[in-house]
């Protein structure tokens, strides 16, 4: 959560900070603030609400003179979202300012000690403790003070710090929360994520755990936690800058949904060579693949839903037992893992705190770990034994769409590869599946073109109170994601159920007119799910079905039918999810909600 930006250079800092923060608002958006050294002292400006409030307050930053500063956009963890708790935070005499992303777990203990030493706190945040602790340790050498603070605080942090006694330097510190440094022509920057600096530079350093960056207008130096200078190599960012802009679309979510034909192709095509699946980055010999005894797929939110699909695909195709876990559960349940286990961590951001902790737990237990990750160079990508990137590009909307469909492709490819090596899939069957995979981008395009009909249908449900999603097998996994998409951006209560489970309690919630979305793409289960549709319709439900184009029989049972083109039974998720994404999007638009930044959420959940 939270986005950090810092700048030191020739330009006026505040407009640069605001611009950078606008690219990070997806990380949190309940309040924002900036601290700028104006030549005499550190000035601070904070505002509750979206970044635009701060922007208006400072006239686009113009009212804050100075060429060095730090900024922050917040997703509140400790302390309500208000001006007092918004970052930056000062030390006692306002000579040090700090912005922070992460959680200082021992802040209460430290706060008590500092209070006993005479420090007075103005906010309820854990961050303010860092500012005061810096003050306590600062005896003229910032690096010395910072390293002492790093030894004292527990938890996760990415910090941006300025000292009025060192008015030409920005300090950047990280442990378990992302932070990068951008080297630009007329100054240098720090940021939580690459899009914030792309306007100024493509030359980026990734700060690693327990490292410190010190930036002046023309120089960047790095230190370790012992205060020793270290060397780091800059990386060149290849992204298209437009990838992080709306490009004429009303919302990022709409843009990202429309990018799916490309992002699916980008994830798929480099791994198909001469008609064969080639996953070089997997780095597993056939012998290793054959000796695998178990797979764990571990993730959060939508990434977890791709894992649920993955279970059906791996087990169905490769006959390897798969357990799927929510990362927040996995890390504390003492999972039984050993050398014969592959743990796949799925994450768009590669920074999700629970997923990262699960990865570390898996490594500790001796399992081989594979990250399926979208953000290049992110923590999970760096720490997993192997990494398979989903080439979806930057995803800005909080509700994931293109990263989700790219993750599905990565899992299909892995499952097919394992099935081939383990003798469960013939070359001919694999070739036919590859043909189906290659058809998916065009099929997604076709489904996206049907947006008008879905928008009209969605408009009828903007006042809905409850919506249910039902399906069996892979259709259940699709239902989970359809339901999450709807609730997170429309604020309509919705639940996904394995269709057969509904009558064990939940069916009592069905009333006259309740919308039930039935996903019916698994031919061998058609009849079973249709029986469940009949059950809910008998109790007054209105049923929207998403099914295969040849299942026209369903029109006798469902009230409204959306057809998806023909594909392999393991790949239907990639198609059936498109109308469900569109449905959620148009319900949210119809309700006039902030589609890209739904309340209480943030794109990257870097706290437990
Ligand atoms: O970055 P990650 O893929 O690890 O994020 C996991 C979840 O937080 C994420 O999928 C979340 O559920 C999405 N907002 C759903 O649209």
């Amino acid at each position: 959560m939270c986005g950090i930006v810092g700048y030191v250079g020739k330009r006026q800092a505040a407009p640069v900070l605001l611009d950078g923060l606008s690219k990070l608002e997806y990380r949190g958006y309940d309040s924002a603030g900036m601290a700028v050294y104006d030549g005499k002292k550190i000035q601070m400006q904070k505002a509750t609400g979206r970044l635009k409030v701060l922007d208006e307050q400072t006239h686009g930053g113009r009212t804050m003179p100075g060429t060095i500063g730090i900024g922050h956009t917040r997703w509140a963890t400790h302390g309500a979202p208000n001006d007092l708790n918004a970052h930056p935070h000062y030390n006692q005499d306002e000579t040090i300012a700090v912005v922070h992303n992460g959680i200082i777990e021992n802040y209460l203990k430290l706060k008590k000690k500092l209070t006993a030493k005479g420090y007075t706190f103005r906010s309820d945040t854990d961050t303010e403790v860092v500012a005061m602790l810096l003050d306590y340790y600062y005896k003229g050498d910032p690096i010395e003070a910072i390293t002492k603070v790093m030894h004292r605080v527990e938890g996760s942090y990415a910090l941006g710090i300025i000292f009025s006694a060192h008015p030409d330097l920005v300090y950047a510190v990280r442990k378990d929360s992302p932070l990068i440094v951008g080297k630009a022509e007329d100054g240098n920057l720090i940021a939580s994520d690459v899009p914030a600096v792309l306007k100024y530079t493509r030359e980026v350093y990734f700060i690693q755990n327990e490292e410190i960056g010190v930036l002046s207008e023309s120089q960047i130096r790095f230190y370790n936690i012992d205060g020793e200078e270290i060397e780091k190599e800059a990386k060149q960012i290849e992204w298209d800058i437009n990838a992080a802009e709306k490009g004429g679309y009303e919302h990022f979510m709409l843009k990202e949904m429309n990018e799916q034909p490309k992002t699916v192709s980008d994830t798929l095509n480099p791994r198909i060579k001469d008609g064969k699946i080639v996953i070089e980055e997997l780095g597993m010999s056939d012998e290793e693949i054959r000796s695998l005894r178990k797979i764990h797929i571990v993730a959060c939110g939508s990434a977890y839903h791709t894992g649920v699909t993955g279970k059906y695909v791996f087990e169905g195709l490769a006959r390897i037992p798969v357990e799927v876990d929510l990362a927040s559960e996995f890390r504390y349940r003492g999972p039984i893992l050993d050398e014969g286990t592959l743990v796949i961590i799925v994450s768009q951001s590669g920074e999700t705190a629970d997923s990262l902790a699960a990865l570390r737990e898996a490594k500790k237990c001796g399992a081989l770990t594979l990250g399926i990750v979208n953000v290049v160079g992110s923590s999970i990508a760096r720490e997993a034994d192997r990494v398979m990137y989903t080439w979806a590009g930057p995803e800005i909307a909080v509700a994931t769409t293109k990263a989700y469909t790219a993750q599905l492709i990565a899992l299909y490819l892995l499952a097919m590869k394992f099935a081939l090596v383990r003798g469960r899939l013939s070359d001919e069957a694999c070739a036919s599946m590859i043909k189906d995979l290659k058809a998916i981008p065009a099929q997604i395009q076709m489904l996206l073109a049907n947006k008008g009909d879905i928008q009209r249908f969605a408009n009828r449900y903007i006042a809905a109170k409850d919506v249910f999603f039902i399906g069996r097998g892979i259709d259940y996994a699709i239902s989970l994601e359809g339901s999450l998409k709807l609730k997170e951006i429309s604020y309509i209560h919705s639940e996904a159920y394995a269709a057969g489970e509904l009558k064990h309690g939940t069916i009592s919630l069905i009333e006259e007119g309740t919308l039930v979305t039935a996903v019916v793409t698994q031919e061998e289960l058609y009849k079973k799910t249709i029986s469940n549709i009949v059950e809910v319709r008998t109790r007054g439900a209105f049923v929207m079905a998403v099914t295969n184009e040849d299942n026209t029989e369903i029109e006798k049972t469902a009230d409204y039918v959306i057809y998806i083109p023909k594909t392999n039974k393991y790949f239907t998720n990639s198609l059936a999810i498109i109308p469900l994404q569109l449905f959620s999007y148009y319900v949210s638009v119809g309700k006039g909600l902030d589609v890209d930044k739904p309340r209480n959420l943030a794109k990257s959940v870097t706290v437990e």
Side-chain angles (χ1 to χ4, degrees):
M1 321 292 182
C2 305
I4 289 177
V5 181
Y7 174 76
V8 51
K10 290 191 174 60
R11 297 169 186 250
Q12 187 181 355
V16 178
L17 298 178
L18 282 171
D19 179 63
L21 290 176
S22 72
K23 307 291 186 306
L24 299 181
E25 241 194 323
Y26 71 88
R27 303 179 65 85
Y29 36 81
D30 57 41
S31 54
M34 295 186 283
V36 175
Y37 181 75
D38 68 1
K40 287 197 188 96
K41 67 181 300 277
I42 298 173
Q43 298 287 355
M44 217 177 260
Q45 195 75 41
K46 304 185 194 189
T48 309
R50 296 286 159 93
L51 185 65
K52 68 174 190 309
V53 184
L54 182 70
D55 193 294
E56 277 160 21
Q57 241 175 45
T58 60
H59 297 270
R62 288 187 296 280
T63 59
M64 295 184 81
T67 56
I68 176 167
I70 49 177
H72 190 265
T73 174
R74 181 170 186 244
W75 187 86
T77 56
H78 293 65
N82 58 31
D83 284 13
L84 274 185
N85 292 326
H87 300 208
H89 291 282
Y90 277 131
N91 63 333
Q92 206 73 66
D93 62 2
E94 304 188 352
T95 54
I96 303 173
V98 177
V99 287
H100 169 218
N101 169 32
I103 288 187
I104 307 298
E105 286 165 4
N106 58 340
Y107 84 105
L108 281 175
K109 204 166 108 195
L110 292 170
K111 195 168 179 174
K112 207 164 149 200
K113 287 191 173 166
L114 287 160
T115 307
K117 290 187 187 303
Y119 284 89
T120 315
F121 288 79
R122 308 166 181 104
S123 78
D124 304 318
T125 65
D126 50 339
T127 307
E128 201 180 2
V129 163
V130 176
M132 299 301 182
L133 207 53
L134 278 169
D135 181 285
Y136 178 71
Y137 286 125
Y138 179 69
K139 306 280 178 272
D141 178 356
I143 294 287
E144 191 192 337
I146 289 170
T147 52
K148 281 189 173 154
V149 169
M150 289 165 83
H151 283 290
R152 287 302 301 277
V153 297
E154 288 162 18
S156 58
Y157 49 81
L159 300 166
I161 309 166
I162 53 173
F163 295 76
S164 62
H166 304 269
D168 52 349
L169 298 174
V170 171
Y171 293 82
V173 192
R174 99 158 257 206
K175 181 177 166 266
D176 293 342
S177 291
L179 198 58
I180 59 129
V181 171
K183 184 175 184 317
E185 288 252 303
D186 54 2
N188 293 313
L189 301 107
I190 62 167
S192 299
D193 197 0
V194 172
V197 305
L198 275 186
K199 186 168 165 186
Y200 309 98
T201 183
R202 289 179 170 276
E203 209 177 331
V204 162
Y205 296 89
F206 290 90
I207 304 189
Q208 309 291 355
N209 266 351
E210 304 199 317
E211 288 181 355
I212 305 164
V214 184
L215 290 70
S216 69
E217 182 190 311
S218 56
Q219 263 194 340
I220 302 169
R221 291 181 191 279
F222 295 98
Y223 298 85
N224 63 19
I225 191 168
D226 298 320
E228 296 156 347
E229 190 162 353
I230 51 171
E231 291 295 319
K232 288 185 83 68
E233 235 179 73
K235 297 243 174 338
Q236 203 60 28
I237 302 295
E238 308 292 348
W239 289 354
D240 171 8
I241 191 163
N242 296 324
E245 306 286 343
K246 270 194 215 154
Y249 285 95
E250 202 182 337
H251 298 104
F252 277 111
M253 184 177 172
L254 186 59
K255 174 177 178 252
E256 288 159 6
M257 283 190 292
N258 277 286
E259 283 170 354
Q260 291 179 107
K262 177 172 181 325
T263 51
V264 162
S265 301
D266 288 352
T267 306
L268 175 67
N269 291 346
R271 282 140 183 157
I272 307 288
K273 289 185 184 139
D274 301 325
K276 303 235 162 350
I277 301 171
V278 182
I279 312 174
E280 273 156 11
E281 60 271 50
L282 185 60
M284 282 175 85
S285 66
D286 287 359
E287 197 37 55
E288 280 176 296
I289 294 176
R290 275 192 284 271
S291 61
L292 272 181
R293 285 196 301 274
K294 200 168 171 195
I295 296 175
H296 284 257
I297 307 180
V298 185
C300 302
S302 295
Y304 167 78
H305 299 156
T306 63
V308 178
T309 304
K311 177 181 168 69
Y312 290 107
V313 182
F314 273 107
E315 290 191 341
L317 276 176
R319 305 304 296 158
I320 309 177
V322 177
E323 282 189 40
V324 195
D325 272 277
L326 292 163
S328 52
E329 290 295 313
F330 177 86
R331 60 185 292 196
Y332 295 120
R333 79 170 167 91
I336 302 163
L337 311 168
D338 58 25
E339 282 170 9
T341 315
L342 173 67
V343 176
I344 303 177
I345 309 280
V346 188
S347 175
Q348 186 286 129
S349 62
E351 298 294 348
T352 301
D354 284 318
S355 304
L356 184 56
L359 166 69
R360 289 176 181 158
E361 181 66 27
K363 284 180 83 172
K364 220 164 61 195
C365 297
L368 179 69
T369 57
L370 167 70
I372 295 183
V373 179
N374 194 43
V375 177
V376 176
S378 56
S379 301
I380 294 174
R382 285 196 318 268
E383 291 191 28
D385 297 312
R386 313 282 151 77
V387 58
M388 188 172 173
Y389 281 114
T390 49
W391 298 114
E395 191 179 62
I396 308 295
V398 166
T400 182
T401 51
K402 63 174 181 170
Y404 172 83
T405 43
Q407 286 162 358
L408 289 173
I409 297 293
L411 286 169
Y412 300 156
L413 287 170
L414 273 176
M416 287 163 68
K417 173 84 193 165
F418 286 7
L420 269 170
V421 174
R422 293 165 74 100
R424 295 280 177 178
L425 186 66
S426 68
D427 287 340
E428 298 71 47
C430 183
S432 148
M433 290 180 88
I434 290 176
K435 208 166 137 222
D436 284 337
L437 279 177
K438 289 197 156 182
I440 288 176
Q443 292 173 326
I444 291 180
Q445 193 69 61
M446 236 173 75
L447 288 161
L448 287 165
N450 190 28
K451 60 180 187 299
D453 285 352
I454 295 177
Q455 181 169 18
R456 276 186 291 281
F457 183 74
N459 283 339
R460 288 164 50 185
Y461 283 95
I462 56 179
K465 283 204 174 54
D466 305 288
V467 177
F468 293 89
F469 288 75
I470 58 169
R472 289 168 180 259
I474 285 180
D475 292 339
Y476 169 54
I478 303 170
S479 300
L480 287 169
E481 177 59 8
S483 170
L484 178 63
K485 276 292 82 74
L486 181 67
K487 74 183 105 184
E488 72 178 323
I489 60 170
S490 75
Y491 314 152
I492 292 173
H493 165 251
S494 97
E495 287 188 48
Y497 269 88
E501 184 64 14
L502 208 63
K503 55 182 161 297
H504 296 285
T506 311
I507 203 163
S508 66
L509 294 169
I510 305 292
E511 292 174 355
E512 197 57 41
T514 304
L515 178 62
V516 174
T517 298
V519 185
V520 198
T521 72
Q522 302 299 298
E523 206 174 332
E524 66 275 21
L525 297 167
Y526 279 174
K527 284 204 178 97
K528 301 283 168 199
T529 311
I530 286 174
S531 301
N532 302 128
I533 294 177
V534 173
E535 286 160 12
V536 292
R537 281 197 77 214
T538 312
R539 283 147 185 96
F542 185 94
V543 175
M544 164 167 94
V546 181
T547 192
N548 300 325
E549 62 187 8
D550 56 4
N551 186 22
T552 49
E553 270 291 290
I554 205 164
E555 290 187 21
K556 293 188 186 143
T557 326
D559 298 285
Y560 180 78
V561 182
I562 297 170
Y563 290 106
I564 61 163
K566 193 146 186 51
T567 188
N568 184 284
K569 69 172 184 173
Y570 290 111
F571 306 154
T572 57
N573 192 342
S574 295
L575 303 179
I577 197 60
I578 306 298
L580 301 184
Q581 292 172 345
L582 286 167
F583 175 70
S584 308
Y585 172 77
Y586 284 116
V587 171
S588 179
V589 170
K591 291 181 81 168
L593 299 174
D594 190 342
V595 178
D596 287 335
K597 297 186 198 110
R599 70 183 178 206
N600 305 340
L601 288 173
K603 181 73 180 163
S604 177
V605 185
T606 55
V607 292
E608 205 182 321

